[in-house]
């Protein structure tokens, strides 16, 4: 096995500190990074990826009526290089970001989708691999759609080894495109995924552990949610049979952001759904069965939830949840950072509405990512209000707590990325106890798909067994790596493959 070094901790922050109560340990803080750079209003989606393969995370941001940005990370300091790398600098309603290596060359490509009232066609920026240039190939490969695009996800739905793409549309039916040697074929109808409902969120995971990816659809404007089971590339909506479709909603109510995580550390993947009514938490009880438990877990708030992202911000071994809210024309609606106590969730953001993270909040994009490589998760937020910003907040956990983590990359020695939906589980090497589960992102954070190492906060630094599950043509392929010492990878990323 080899390791990839990540940048050391740097002090490049300005502005006030945000304190968050944290029972049982030192109080963590978040501080804004390069506040002036990240101050432009109208941001909609934020998405992390190491596009230039230099070992640290870069950040893409879409905007409403402002050119999109690509922030290159240079040892913890960011510079907007969108114009330099060949991104179009048009002013339009850009909504969607999805990073994925569609051509398998070891360089992450980016799909960008646009919203309503625009003639701009969706773009697929092929990464030319030199760290300097992207080329828009959407028309060439068959992905230059127009329409009200929302969540787009790179996934291998047919387990043939390459990345297909699913594209949600709020104004027409959704699209599933099969990757055929770098060209894309519309298989929406034949697959059963030509859903006509007004979809704004989608997340893929192997919900029934049968070896292929299923997809949950969050639908707006009163439409029922969908949950499509994958049976060898043919999909059946089973949401109603699982009591997960939310029928009889009024037109002003619907679901928005979705996120998958093993919140109870039992080894299977649970599902959070933000809505314009009470938010939902579906606990996975195995065998493809789910129970809605948001109220009992303290997550059933009714505040027009939109962007969601799971991440263990305090490195205690239990995954936490950030949720933002949106009301049309309203600036600085309240955000929520729900800390997982092991018995439920508690909002730990300051109650003062004038606190920095309340005023520079998100109403759209929300994504966790360890951009400075210090072991704790930092937070990128986006507000598309004319007074909003797209601030980046650095997590100021004390050094001893920040190092109490393990970051796992499933990129192999040939530079190939693990396909989205791949799973990693950590076990205590001494006792065999399951510690946590993570999944390679298939779309969360509101209309974005990141590509980052999987972050595990740890209650202790004892050796662990790392179990990797990949979905293949032969089913779920499990590989275990014994006695991995997290301390050996402080400031680095562990790459088992």
């Amino acid at each position: 096995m080899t390791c990839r070094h990540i940048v050391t901790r740097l002090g490049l922050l300005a502005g006030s500190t945000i304190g968050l109560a944290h029972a049982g340990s030192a109080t963590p803080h978040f501080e804004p990074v390069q506040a002036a750079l990240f101050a432009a209003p109208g941001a909609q989606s934020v998405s992390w990826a190491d596009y230039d393969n230099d070992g640290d995370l870069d950040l893409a941001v879409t905007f409403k009526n402002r050119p999109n940005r690509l922030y290159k990370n240079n040892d913890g300091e960011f510079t907007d290089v969108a114009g330099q790398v060949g991104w179009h600098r048009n002013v339009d309603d850009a909504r969607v970001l999805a990073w994925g290596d569609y051509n398998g060359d070891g360089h992450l490509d980016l799909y960008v989708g646009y919203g309503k009232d625009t003639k701009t066609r969706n773009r697929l920026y092929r990464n030319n691999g030199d760290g300097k240039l992207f080329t828009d190939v959407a028309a060439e490969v068959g992905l230059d759609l127009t329409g009200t695009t929302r969540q787009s996800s790179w996934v291998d739905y047919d387990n043939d080894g390459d990345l297909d793409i699913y594209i949600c549309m709020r104004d027409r039916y959704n699209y599933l495109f099969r990757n055929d040697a770098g060209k894309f074929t519309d298989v929406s109808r034949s697959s059963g995924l030509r859903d006509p409902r007004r979809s704004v969120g989608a997340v893929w995971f192997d919900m029934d552990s049968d070896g292929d990816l299923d997809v949950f659809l969050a639908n707006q404007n009163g439409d029922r949610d969908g949950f499509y089971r994958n049976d060898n590339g043919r999909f059946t909506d089973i949401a109603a049979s699982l009591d997960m479709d939310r029928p009889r909603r009024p037109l002003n109510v619907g679901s928005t952001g979705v996120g998958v995580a093993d919140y109870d550390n039992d080894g299977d993947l649970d599902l959070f759904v933000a809505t314009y009514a009470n938010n939902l938490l579906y606990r996975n009880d195995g065998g493809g069965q789910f129970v809605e438990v948001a109220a009992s877990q303290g997550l059933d708030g009714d505040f027009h939830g939109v962007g969601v992202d799971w991440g263990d911000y305090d490195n205690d071994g239990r995954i936490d949840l950030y949720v933002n809210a949106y009301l049309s024309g309203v600036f600085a609606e309240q955000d929520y950072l729900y800390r997982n106590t092991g018995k439920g969730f508690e909002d730990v953001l300051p109650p003062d509405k004038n606190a920095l993270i309340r005023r520079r909040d998100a109403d759209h994009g929300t994504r966790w990512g360890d951009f400075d490589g210090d072991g704790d998760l930092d937070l990128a937020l986006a507000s598309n209000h004319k007074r909003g910003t797209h601030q980046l907040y650095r997590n100021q956990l004390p050094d001893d707590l920040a190092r109490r983590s393990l970051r796992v990359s499933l990129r192999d020695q040939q530079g190939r990325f693990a396909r989205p939906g791949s799973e990693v589980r950590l076990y205590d090497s001494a006792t065999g106890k399951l510690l946590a589960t993570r999944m390679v992102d298939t779309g969360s954070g509101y209309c974005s798909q990141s590509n980052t190492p999987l972050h595990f906060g740890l209650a202790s630094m004892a050796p662990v067994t790392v179990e990797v599950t990949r979905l293949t043509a032969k089913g779920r392929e499990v590989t275990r790596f014994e006695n991995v010492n997290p301390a050996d990878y402080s400031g680095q990323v562990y790459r088992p493959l």
Side-chain angles (χ1 to χ4, degrees):
M1 68 186 69
T2 61
C3 307
R4 186 172 50 163
H5 288 274
I6 302 295
V7 296
T8 57
R9 191 173 184 121
L10 297 172
L12 296 170
L13 305 168
S16 302
T17 298
I18 305 158
L20 301 178
H22 173 34
S25 71
T27 300
H29 295 79
F30 289 81
E31 292 185 350
V33 179
Q34 296 175 256
L37 179 66
F38 294 102
Q44 304 200 106
S45 298
V46 290
S47 189
W48 293 103
D50 180 11
Y51 83 88
D52 51 3
N53 287 344
D54 68 350
D56 52 27
L57 292 178
D58 311 294
L59 184 66
V61 185
T62 62
F63 288 85
K64 182 177 182 179
N65 302 326
R66 183 181 293 269
N68 298 329
R69 295 186 178 187
L70 175 61
Y71 293 108
K72 177 178 172 57
N73 185 349
N74 294 293
D75 292 337
E77 185 171 9
F78 290 88
T79 305
D80 177 19
V81 298
Q84 301 172 30
V85 301
W87 287 21
H88 294 78
R89 305 296 287 166
N90 66 302
V91 175
D92 220 325
D93 181 24
R95 289 276 179 169
V96 168
L97 293 166
W99 290 100
D101 183 12
Y102 84 92
N103 55 0
D105 65 354
H107 304 284
L108 288 170
D109 313 295
L110 183 68
Y111 193 72
V112 181
Y114 291 83
K116 63 181 180 180
D117 302 325
T118 174
K119 295 181 181 179
T120 301
R121 307 187 76 86
N122 291 355
R123 296 192 168 103
L124 173 57
Y125 286 113
R126 185 186 65 210
N127 188 338
N128 291 343
D130 57 4
K132 299 178 181 179
L133 190 63
F134 289 79
T135 302
D136 179 15
V137 297
E140 174 185 331
V141 303
L143 293 179
D144 58 332
L145 304 179
T146 59
T148 308
T149 311
R150 289 297 187 264
Q151 179 62 50
S152 298
S153 300
W154 294 105
V155 292
D156 183 12
Y157 83 92
D158 52 2
N159 285 346
D160 68 349
D162 56 22
L163 287 187
D164 316 296
I165 191 168
Y166 188 64
I167 303 170
C168 291
M169 307 294 287
R170 191 169 177 172
D171 62 344
R172 66 190 69 178
Y173 62 83
N174 300 329
Y175 293 90
L176 176 64
F177 287 96
R178 187 184 64 222
N179 188 342
D180 295 318
K183 304 287 186 179
F184 290 86
T185 302
D186 182 0
V187 294
S188 311
R189 188 184 296 277
S190 61
S191 67
L193 280 181
R194 196 175 188 262
D195 194 309
R197 292 173 289 193
R198 288 156 286 196
S199 302
V200 296
V203 68
W204 295 70
F205 64 113
D206 186 9
M207 67 95 172
D208 50 5
S209 299
D210 68 347
D212 52 27
L213 288 176
D214 315 289
V215 58
F216 182 89
L217 286 184
N219 295 321
Q220 262 290 330
N221 301 97
D223 288 343
R224 295 185 179 201
D225 291 338
F227 204 171
Y228 284 89
R229 186 185 65 219
N230 185 349
D231 297 309
N232 298 315
R234 288 283 305 173
F235 291 83
T236 302
D237 187 3
I238 59 173
S241 66
L242 295 177
D243 195 24
M244 298 175 70
D245 58 335
R246 317 311 293 178
R248 297 178 297 279
R249 295 194 287 201
L251 286 174
N252 63 344
V253 171
S255 300
T256 49
V258 288
V260 167
D262 179 14
Y263 82 89
D264 50 4
N265 287 343
D266 66 351
D268 50 32
L269 295 167
D270 313 295
L271 175 69
F272 179 83
V273 183
T275 85
Y276 280 0
N278 294 98
N279 296 325
L280 307 165
L281 177 63
Y282 293 109
R283 186 187 68 216
N284 188 338
D285 284 348
Q289 298 300 310
F290 292 79
V291 178
E292 205 286 298
V293 295
S296 66
Q297 293 295 311
L299 291 178
D300 63 332
D302 179 357
F303 49 77
H304 253 226
V306 176
V308 309
D309 204 16
W310 293 94
D312 185 2
Y313 80 92
D314 53 1
N315 281 352
D316 67 352
R318 296 184 294 265
I319 199 162
D320 312 296
L321 179 67
Y322 199 96
V323 187
N324 64 45
Y326 171 77
L327 290 175
S328 180
V330 176
F331 173 58
E333 262 304 295
Q334 182 168 310
D335 285 8
Y336 297 82
L337 175 52
Y338 290 108
R339 179 174 175 265
N340 187 344
T341 69
K343 298 180 180 180
F345 291 81
E346 59 182 11
D347 178 22
V348 294
L349 283 182
D352 181 3
K353 288 286 285 186
N354 292 317
L356 183 61
I357 205 167
R358 296 284 198 188
R359 302 305 297 172
R360 295 187 180 182
D361 65 347
D363 56 26
H364 282 70
T366 303
R367 295 261 50 170
W368 296 103
D370 183 8
F371 79 84
D372 51 4
D374 65 351
D376 56 27
L377 288 173
D378 312 297
L379 183 63
L381 300 175
S383 170
N384 77 352
H385 192 275
K386 63 183 179 181
R387 294 169 55 202
T389 64
H390 57 290
Q391 285 296 332
L392 172 61
Y393 291 100
R394 183 184 176 189
N395 191 342
Q396 290 291 91
L397 272 181
D399 287 344
D400 60 331
L401 293 181
R403 288 193 295 268
R404 204 176 65 192
S405 62
L406 180 67
R407 289 173 295 151
V408 180
S409 171
L410 296 187
R411 193 172 183 183
D412 67 18
Q413 301 306 312
Q414 286 72 47
R416 296 170 298 193
F417 294 90
R419 293 189 295 280
S422 300
E423 303 162 5
V424 175
R425 291 172 178 81
L426 294 192
Y427 298 84
D428 184 288
S429 290
T431 67
K433 177 184 177 182
L434 175 67
L435 301 177
T437 306
R438 300 288 186 266
M439 185 186 77
V440 177
D441 185 39
T442 61
S444 187
Y446 186 74
C447 295
S448 69
Q449 181 179 18
S450 289
N451 187 298
T452 69
L454 301 178
H455 172 271
F456 291 85
L458 299 172
S460 78
M461 293 293 281
V464 297
T465 295
V466 179
E467 181 184 271
V468 178
T469 301
R470 289 174 289 181
L471 308 183
T472 74
K474 297 180 180 179
R476 293 171 64 88
E477 178 183 284
V478 178
T479 310
R480 291 171 66 91
F481 303 86
E482 307 286 345
N483 293 311
V484 177
N485 186 359
D488 292 341
Y489 298 94
S490 179
Q492 304 172 10
V493 171
Y494 170 59
R495 289 175 59 175
L497 302 181

